[in-house]
Amino acid sequence: MVVMKFGGSSIADGERMLNVLEIVKKQKGRKIVVLSACQFVTDKLVSAAIIAKNKSSKDAQKMIDEISLHHINIINATIKNKKNAQAATELIEGLIAELSNLIDAISLLHELTPAVMDSVFSFGEFLSTTLFHHLCLADNIKNKLIDARLLIITDSNFNNASPMPNIYEKTTRNIINNLANEDIIITQGFIASDTNSKTTTLGRGGSDLTAALIGAAINASEIQIWTDVNGILTADPKKNNDATTVAKMTFQEIKDLSFWGAKVLHPKTILPAIEKNITVKVLNSLNPAAPYTTITANSATKKLIVNSVIAKNNCYLFNMKSDAATTDTTSIYNYASITNLISCDEIREEVSVLYFGYNNGVFTILFEKDEAEKDVKNFKNKNSFMKNIKPSQVLFSEPVSVICISGQNFKSNPIEFTRFISTVSNHLEGFNLHQLIFQYSDSSIIFVVDATQTDKIVKKIHSLIVG
Ligand code: ADP
Ligand code: ASP
Ligand code: MG
């Protein structure tokens, strides 16, 4: 059985939905189709819920009307048979009415809990899957629509729930096995339920995770992640139009790339599939015959391979000398204190610490946040330990970006790797590099550059990768 996941970009409008239908039809054998919400719908649901809570239900309902119109337009563009179109329209209108009631309730109570937000979120995927289910029916394609909340059981960490492996695997397997006569099973990505049957979600971009979870539970022969570009590319295609497909990538590379800014796959999403050694492919739904990426658990070669470059913006560096780090005594004590400090929940809520290290007598903390000025103050004021730091010995950087180059076998090929790094640094002469090597592993090297020079530096490195 194959799991086919289509992201919001693949079902953004009627034409794209029809493309997806063709891809599903061409796939041989039994398949499970996992759909995200149509592109931008989840963002609109967030806005509507926040507007309902803080402003008025009337303003929020305008966004709901836009969502409704978008789906009705898709029906009109794709389902020609009147009877089928009417049946689909009625179901979409029913869902929109439920959503409207929920938005009214948020507005009335001026309260939006994470649990309620998850209920709001769920409408995006319910709308898209209901529509696709009817698109298939209108084309005489037998299929079964299954509520993902029955398949994926999670903890109650609303908005970012984690699956409960033993419970969900059995449930999913049983349900799918009982549908042995169904060739096409359609379900929602991203949404799930906790053990009390309350709706939860797996975190933004979580449909990839749904696909991997289902694939792992039923031991799928393959998981296909269909998106709007030719697989995983050598750089972000929105900024580098010469980016090309990487044919084979390791799971660790994807993890590193996603952590450092590549939006294409969420880091935790494909882990369940990799653990079960299931092939994961990333393909282009707009051009199914185009090159694609296959993700493997391990590198297929022992050679040094450099595959891709990505940048993470909105980062700040915080440096302090160890002997002056606090008014306290030894540097070991200071190291422990700083470690405690950055792992304390209060601070974690304020800033997202990406890296913490100690090198040559200098502590370095790299953190990410849009409003860095405010965070720097919070960072200092929140903890009495930090108040003891002598301000003159603490340096905050101007905004920086973190650049990540991904590849394979960096550590096992030290000579080639050193040669590569020296080529990179020659290429980047004249640029302001805060730290050439910040962190490095077998699958990536990370360094920090001035925010203003990021795009130019990425382009330079990319030209080395694509030759
Ligand atoms: P979906 O709607 O299919 O979930 P996403 O928007 O989540 O799609 O992810 C696909 C997007 O990721 C692409 O349109 C592309 O702009 C962006 N992207 C960023 N970096 C990369 C990369 N290295 N390779 C491929 N896509 C990338
Ligand atoms: N619709 C959800 C989101 O936009 C989940 C997904 O697309 O994977 O985050
Ligand atoms: Mg996505």
Side-chain angles (χ1 to χ4, degrees), residues 336-450:
S337 307
I338 293 171
T339 311
N340 278 342
L341 168 78
I342 59 170
S343 54
C344 96
D345 285 346
E346 254 185 328
I347 296 293
R348 275 185 185 279
E349 271 172 29
E350 297 300 328
V351 292
S352 157
V353 174
L354 298 168
Y355 172 87
F356 168 55
Y358 175 77
N359 199 3
N360 281 340
V362 178
F363 291 104
T364 299
I365 303 174
L366 177 72
F367 60 96
E368 180 195 20
K369 195 81 189 203
D370 288 346
E371 298 168 77
E373 290 309 321
K374 194 177 108 215
D375 288 321
V376 166
K377 258 195 222 135
N378 278 333
F379 208 75
K380 280 182 178 173
N381 293 340
K382 276 260 171 174
N383 193 291
S384 58
F385 162 73
M386 288 304 269
K387 286 182 192 146
N388 289 332
I389 294 172
K390 295 173 195 157
S392 61
Q393 285 141 347
V394 177
L395 280 177
F396 286 100
S397 69
E398 289 299 304
V400 291
S401 295
V402 180
I403 296 203
C404 168
I405 305 177
S406 89
Q408 294 163 29
N409 308 313
F410 286 180
K411 287 208 162 167
S412 42
N413 292 282
I415 297 171
E416 288 86 348
F417 180 73
T418 311
R419 210 175 287 141
F420 171 68
I421 291 304
S422 92
T423 314
V424 170
S425 59
N426 288 342
H427 249 67
L428 299 183
E429 218 170 291
F431 286 105
N432 189 359
L433 308 180
H434 284 251
Q435 252 143 334
L436 183 54
I437 295 188
F438 197 67
Q439 190 177 299
Y440 118 85
S441 71
D442 214 29
S443 54
S444 64
I445 147 167
I446 282 114
F447 54 97
V448 177
V449 304
D450 255 12

Side-chain angles (χ1 to χ4, degrees), residues 252-324:
Q252 190 55 44
E253 274 183 88
I254 305 276
K255 229 174 132 185
D256 294 352
L257 279 178
S258 325
F259 184 82
W260 294 107
K263 217 197 104 204
V264 67
L265 278 180
H266 194 283
K268 69 179 178 184
T269 52
I270 46 174
L271 185 60
I274 296 296
E275 277 173 353
K276 295 237 166 137
N277 228 346
I278 299 171
T279 306
V280 179
K281 288 180 180 164
V282 184
L283 309 105
N284 188 352
S285 65
L286 308 181
N287 184 6
Y292 59 87
T293 304
T294 304
I295 301 168
T296 54
N298 301 307
S299 176
T301 166
K302 294 210 168 345
K303 285 193 201 140
L304 179 108
I305 294 178
V306 181
N307 273 334
S308 188
V309 57
I310 194 75
K312 193 178 192 87
N313 302 312
N314 298 324
C315 297
Y316 291 79
L317 269 179
F318 172 102
N319 282 327
M320 81 189 123
K321 280 200 180 134
S322 77
D323 57 348

